[in-house]
Amino acid sequence: MAYFADRVVAITGAGAGIGRELAVALARDGALLALSDKSADAVAETGRRCAALGPAPTTTTLDVTDRAAVLDHAAATFDHYGRVEALFNNAGILHVGGVADSPFSDFEHVMDVDFWGVVNGTKAFLPHLMTAERAHVVNMSSAFGLVGMAQHAPYNAAKFAVRGFTDSLRQDMRAAGGRVRVSTVYPGGVLTSIARSAVVAPGIDAAAVARRFEGHVARTSPAAAARTILRGAARGEAKVLVGLDALLVDLVTRFAGSYHERVLDMVFRS
Ligand SMILES: NC(=O)c1ccc[n+]([C@@H]2O[C@H](COP(=O)([O-])OP(=O)(O)OC[C@H]3O[C@@H](n4cnc5c(N)ncnc54)[C@H](O)[C@@H]3O)[C@@H](O)[C@H]2O)c1
């Protein structure tokens, strides 16, 4: 029997990309799903796909930056199923732009979605997760939560913050008895629409960003990413690296010391 079969699993940002593939794979495995996304149409479509494969999920239109709505969603999920055993804080956006050119509002927007969205989801669901026999929190950082990259300061800042928040939470949960396992996920490039919907600083060519991402950066399919994430989450792995590029970034940042930026620059420029 699949690990998540018959477990209640909430996924944010389930309307596209990795979130949708997590939902579909979990539906196939017989999980009981609480899907949400800020796009009503997108989450409804994911819900339809899941219902064709397994138990019908609940679908909720939810912006993870709306703290009151996230708290309501967590309470409603618990009321509906009587338990919650896993939360995937997956919703996120990409930002491209240098520090000098990116307005403060871009930094705030990316932090609101990519960092505060994770905090909102975690704190809303945690009281429910802590009542389960065994539960999981799975937070999406990024390979850009392992290494700083030019033109990505707002995104880097948010994803490094997710990493610190989640790594600390893991130790809190271990001290609380270890029933809530906590995983930090670091995907490399995954072929989703994230670059097409990226927020870009003035002067950045959004279409060129998407072309480069889809043509050269994104090497892993969202379905393969979902499989890696689910395997890591089921094992309660602290650090889930998705794709060879993420593995490489992890190795180089840990072993090349002060030279890691130059090494990665050479690898990714070729
Ligand atoms: N695709 C990659 O290469 C990659 C790499 C590293 C990390 N990630 C992370 O993985 C996660 C999923 O990314 P993806 O590539 O599947 O993106 P995607 O753009 O394909 O899907 C993201 C989904 O999140 C939803 N969303 C966006 N803002 C939201 C908000 N405020 N509230 C609720 N839902 C919201 C969107 O509507 C969309 O359905 C993100 O956290 C992203 O940062 C992706």
Side-chain angles (χ1 to χ4, degrees):
M1 188 155 134
Y3 179 82
F4 285 104
D6 199 40
R7 289 180 206 251
V8 178
V9 181
I11 308 173
T12 67
I18 299 170
R20 174 173 279 174
E21 293 301 330
L22 286 170
V24 165
L26 284 162
R28 204 176 281 127
D29 285 349
L32 305 170
L33 295 169
L35 307 179
S36 64
D37 198 282
K38 74 167 191 211
S39 161
D41 289 348
V43 73
E45 173 56 25
T46 304
R48 276 190 289 277
R49 293 187 193 191
C50 291
L53 297 166
T58 64
T59 55
T60 304
T61 307
L62 179 74
D63 184 331
V64 294
T65 67
D66 182 344
R67 184 170 299 153
V70 177
L71 287 163
D72 285 350
H73 173 58
T77 301
F78 188 76
D79 284 350
H80 182 79
Y81 287 114
R83 56 196 165 96
V84 189
E85 285 130 334
L87 167 67
F88 289 76
N89 279 308
N90 165 76
I93 54 168
L94 177 66
H95 177 276
V96 181
V99 174
D101 298 328
S102 301
F104 284 110
S105 56
D106 279 13
F107 281 84
E108 285 162 356
H109 181 51
V110 178
M111 288 301 288
D112 272 352
V113 179
D114 288 2
F115 174 63
W116 282 107
V118 170
V119 177
N120 292 340
T122 302
K123 281 187 62 66
F125 277 91
L126 202 55
H128 306 301
L129 293 165
M130 288 177 81
T131 65
E133 198 57 41
R134 173 170 290 187
H136 296 264
V137 176
V138 183
N139 288 346
M140 296 296 270
S141 179
S142 165
F144 285 11
L146 297 169
V147 68
M149 282 283 171
Q151 303 286 316
H152 286 84
Y155 189 71
N156 273 141
K159 293 299 187 180
F160 270 74
V162 169
R163 170 184 172 188
F165 170 80
T166 310
D167 288 357
S168 176
L169 171 70
R170 177 178 314 110
Q171 294 171 59
D172 286 352
M173 291 299 104
R174 201 176 294 134
R179 291 195 308 193
V180 180
R181 308 270 190 94
V182 179
S183 301
T184 321
V185 180
Y186 302 95
V190 179
L191 192 49
T192 68
S193 54
I194 195 166
R196 260 179 271 166
S197 41
V199 179
V200 299
I204 299 280
D205 178 347
V209 166
R211 270 198 309 277
R212 183 172 182 285
F213 178 80
E214 289 167 12
H216 302 286
V217 177
R219 303 264 181 227
T220 303
S221 74
R227 280 195 298 277
T228 303
I229 294 165
L230 290 176
R231 192 172 56 235
R235 292 177 181 159
E237 287 174 4
K239 183 176 191 176
V240 182
L241 296 162
V242 179
L244 283 176
D245 46 357
L247 280 166
L248 186 70
V249 166
D250 182 51
L251 276 176
V252 172
T253 49
R254 284 190 294 128
F255 296 115
S258 296
Y259 296 101
H260 74 268
E261 289 170 6
R262 273 188 253 171
V263 175
L264 287 173
D265 204 30
M266 280 187 305
V267 171
F268 289 117
R269 221 179 320 135
S270 58

